[in-house]
Amino acid sequence: MSSLPPLPASVDHLVVGAGFAGLCAAIKLTEAGEADFLVVEKGDDVGGTWRDNTYPGAACDVPSQLYSYSFAPNPDWSMSFSPQPEIQAYIQRVARESGVLDRFRFHTAVEDAAWDAEARQWVVRTSAGEVRAQTLVVGAGGLSEPKLPAIEGIEGFRGELFHSARWDHDVDLAGKRVAVIGTGASAIQIVPEVAKVAGHLDVYQRTAPWVIPRNDRRYSALEKAALRHVPGLQRLYRTGIYWGRESYVPAFTMAPKIAFPAKKMALANIARGIPDPELRAKVTPHYEIGCKRILISNTYYPALAADNVELVTDRIARVTADGIVTTDGVERPVDVLIVATGFHTTDLPITDHVRGRDGRTMAEVFAQHGMAAYKGTTVPDFPNLFMLVGPNTGLGHSSMVFMIESQVGYLVDAVRTMRINSYDVVEPRRDATDAWNADLQRRMGRTVWNTGGCSSWYLDEHGRNTTLWPRSTFAFRGALRSFDVAAYRVEGPAPAPEPPTQAPIREDVNA
Ligand code: NAP
């Protein structure tokens, strides 16, 4: 890495993160003629969450034709729900072919980003040096920082221990006693794979998820050829998937009861996968479907029913040096402990490193006002900052790539507006931000996430949903279609330096 050139002293735009969001920003800024930018990424490659989550069985639960950039269709997806290596290869290929990688700096972590009000710039200290930028684009992701469970004794565990998003491929699971803590989206993909090789697998479930069948299938060579060569076919296919997914929105946001067909499918999935009535009862959730993310799998329930797998529903009391003790006093020995316990979603770690107009970090501002942004993208007191996958932009039903493209379109229009009007600074007004969030939270009141009788990572410690978007994705796209400068406080170009007072200009005197 020592051969890397030093960071430039300043750029017009600094993008943090090289996942789907950061890469999209880089491509669209370039297309808009904004070539003076830098993307800093703490990891060693593009891909973000798709680079990090390499656990066995990792795959996307949104169809790949939709979970991809609209401007980079891929006729070669092998499956309707593609596995992680293919998604990562797709992101790498798009990055390579778009010609933007020369402005990416890997192994470069943001340590501190502070707004310099006088210079009207962000001053960003990174692990590779300092860089100044007029705009700061935060694409650090909502699922980037693994959350380790706070369980008594876990730090004293002597076996192998790792998080699902930091899979240790050097650990051989064959014949071992493995424990998986968690039964979320990651765990249900991991469990069937681990069950195939482990000597014994204990799955620690705190809350049962709803799991519907995975209607996955492999694309034939003929289908791929048609998608590649028939004009408009792939776009039509994508559009069909998009509207199919949008049709789920009312069930999530207005009338959870209309999701009963999904509930029936999930119950049938349990019945199909698990013969034992006692185990069936243990995996049957007691809250509305959709309250937590609806999961998809054909292999999870059969894996739980396998002879070498035990579903443990007693709460974990503590972890010992070589096992897990549940509250009923039973200790189960463990060689390898896999924690699939999710991510820091409502306390985004990047917000500790970004300081706004009054020197407070974004985390401190969010602690006071709640995690909230204007249109999920801009934040009062944080001028010229654009958060991709910001507060209340997450989805329960469709592709985050669609939301990212909406936000990047807004960013590019903001930059264009600033150029045309010679604005140095744009900052969302507090009243506009409050109005946006009041409307959002009013809508949230009717959603299954808030009324469905579960607790989830969608809600913060006050029970406020700060992560999900409570409307259709086209409503989001519409709201961000153009940069609405009226909702912003702007500062024009810095005033020209005062003329020196000690040497009056003669013409003025004579005028
Ligand atoms: P998650 O959905 O937050 O699930 C975490 C699991 O760990 C839950 O079952 C939770 O139980 C359990 N847990 C947490 N702390 C615990 C503790 N102290 N003791 C016992 N159990 C504990 O995390 P995830 O599965 O990694 O998924 C996170 C998000 O990533 C998903 O919602 C999804 O957006 C995304 N994801 C997507 C895919 C995909 O296919 N596209 C795949 C994986 C992940 P409770 O339910 O009781 O809290």
Side-chain angles (χ1 to χ4, degrees):
M1 289 298 107
S2 53
S3 59
L4 280 179
L7 296 184
S10 78
V11 289
D12 287 347
H13 317 289
L14 185 75
V15 181
V16 182
F20 259 114
L23 176 59
C24 184
I27 292 171
K28 292 294 161 184
L29 283 169
T30 305
E31 283 176 10
E34 295 286 337
D36 185 24
F37 66 82
L38 194 69
V39 179
V40 291
E41 162 60 55
K42 64 178 160 45
D44 60 358
D45 198 357
V46 294
T49 195
W50 293 105
R51 176 202 61 217
D52 291 343
N53 282 271
T54 60
Y55 59 76
C60 189
D61 55 13
V62 176
S64 303
Q65 298 292 345
L66 187 59
Y67 194 83
S68 43
Y69 295 122
S70 62
F71 53 85
N74 177 19
D76 294 323
W77 294 117
S78 66
M79 316 275 295
S80 28
F81 299 97
S82 297
Q84 174 269 338
E86 239 180 271
I87 299 169
Q88 176 61 2
Y90 166 80
I91 301 171
Q92 287 169 327
R93 179 176 62 75
V94 173
R96 230 176 17 250
E97 291 177 359
S98 60
V100 292
L101 278 176
D102 58 331
R103 278 151 289 165
F104 281 51
R105 295 300 169 82
F106 298 104
H107 302 287
T108 303
V110 169
E111 293 167 351
D112 181 68
W115 175 250
D116 179 342
E118 212 169 304
R120 298 175 172 180
Q121 280 181 326
W122 283 96
V123 183
V124 182
R125 195 180 74 233
T126 78
S127 54
E130 185 181 287
V131 57
R132 289 175 164 262
Q134 193 184 13
T135 62
L136 184 62
V137 182
V138 178
L143 301 173
S144 62
E145 214 51 48
K147 193 171 190 172
L148 298 169
I151 299 174
E152 186 192 322
I154 197 162
E155 58 295 332
F157 180 67
R158 281 199 309 237
E160 304 285 354
L161 186 160
F162 50 87
H163 189 275
S164 52
R166 299 287 181 272
W167 195 268
D168 187 342
H169 292 275
D170 292 336
V171 176
D172 182 10
L173 301 178
K176 299 269 173 61
R177 289 194 68 97
V178 182
V180 171
I181 300 180
T183 52
S186 302
I188 67 134
Q189 295 181 332
I190 290 168
V191 163
E193 298 304 314
V194 173
K196 286 180 197 162
V197 294
H200 180 84
L201 169 63
D202 290 320
V203 179
Y204 287 85
Q205 170 187 285
R206 191 165 67 178
T207 315
W210 284 106
V211 186
I212 60 173
R214 183 183 186 87
N215 292 320
D216 204 2
R217 65 183 192 84
R218 190 164 283 284
Y219 290 120
S220 68
L222 188 66
E223 282 173 305
K224 287 189 208 169
L227 288 170
R228 179 178 292 281
H229 297 295
V230 178
L233 181 63
Q234 188 159 20
R235 184 149 294 276
L236 191 68
Y237 186 27
R238 179 182 167 101
T239 306
I241 296 171
Y242 173 80
W243 287 108
R245 292 261 154 177
E246 280 314 275
S247 71
Y248 304 156
V249 171
F252 284 104
T253 60
M254 285 188 291
K257 294 276 178 256
I258 63 177
F260 73 90
K263 198 165 170 175
K264 266 179 79 174
M265 275 196 292
L267 292 171
N269 205 21
I270 294 172
R272 204 168 26 244
I274 299 179
D276 172 21
E278 210 177 306
L279 184 55
R280 280 185 188 173
K282 281 183 175 180
V283 300
T284 304
H286 299 289
Y287 56 85
E288 289 294 340
I289 191 163
C291 183
K292 284 172 179 285
R293 189 178 179 87
I294 300 174
L295 310 183
I296 58 170
S297 178
N298 301 333
T299 52
Y300 177 62
Y301 290 132
L304 290 184
D307 288 343
N308 66 332
V309 178
E310 182 185 359
L311 180 75
V312 183
T313 53
D314 290 300
R315 289 295 171 93
I316 298 172
R318 63 183 185 281
V319 174
T320 63
D322 38 29
I324 294 179
V325 182
T326 40
T327 48
D328 57 353
V330 175
E331 176 165 6
R332 292 174 178 81
V334 180
D335 302 319
V336 183
L337 176 49
I338 299 164
V339 291
T341 45
F343 299 85
H344 287 274
T345 52
T346 53
D347 53 344
L348 298 175
I350 186 74
T351 61
D352 286 323
H353 302 279
V354 180
R355 290 183 289 126
R357 198 174 270 293
D358 63 5
R360 285 187 309 161
T361 64
M362 193 180 276
E364 287 166 339
V365 171
F366 283 171
Q368 182 189 348
H369 295 282
M371 186 168 92
Y374 180 63
K375 299 195 169 178
T377 310
T378 53
V379 184
D381 293 333
F382 293 82
N384 298 3
L385 178 142
F386 298 84
M387 261 183 121
L388 306 178
V389 194
N392 291 109
T393 59
L395 297 176
H397 72 289
S398 191
S399 168
M400 278 313 293
V401 183
F402 184 92
M403 301 300 269
I404 287 168
E405 286 191 36
S406 307
Q407 290 191 288
V408 169
Y410 189 73
L411 155 73
V412 168
D413 201 42
V415 170
R416 190 181 300 131
T417 305
M418 290 173 78
R419 288 243 182 263
I420 291 170
N421 298 290
S422 303
Y423 297 145
D424 288 338
V425 178
V426 294
E427 180 184 344
R429 294 197 330 255
R430 173 62 64 192
D431 60 338
T433 307
D434 289 348
W436 170 265
N437 284 290
D439 176 62
L440 202 141
Q441 291 301 332
R442 182 182 57 74
R443 291 172 188 276
M444 208 60 93
R446 293 185 300 182
T447 66
V448 69
W449 312 308
N450 285 40
T451 63
C454 75
S455 68
S456 72
W457 62 257
Y458 300 153
L459 311 178
D460 68 11
E461 75 271 26
H462 310 297
R464 193 177 140 103
N465 191 328
T466 56
T467 53
L468 293 192
W469 170 243
R471 301 180 65 189
S472 64
T473 61
F474 56 86
F476 188 75
R477 176 67 56 96
L480 278 77
R481 190 163 298 284
S482 58
F483 183 69
D484 46 345
V485 71
Y488 285 76
R489 200 185 63 72
V490 300
E491 288 174 27
E498 290 287 315
T501 47
Q502 63 275 46
I505 300 168
R506 281 203 77 77
E507 289 86 332
D508 284 349
V509 174
N510 293 336

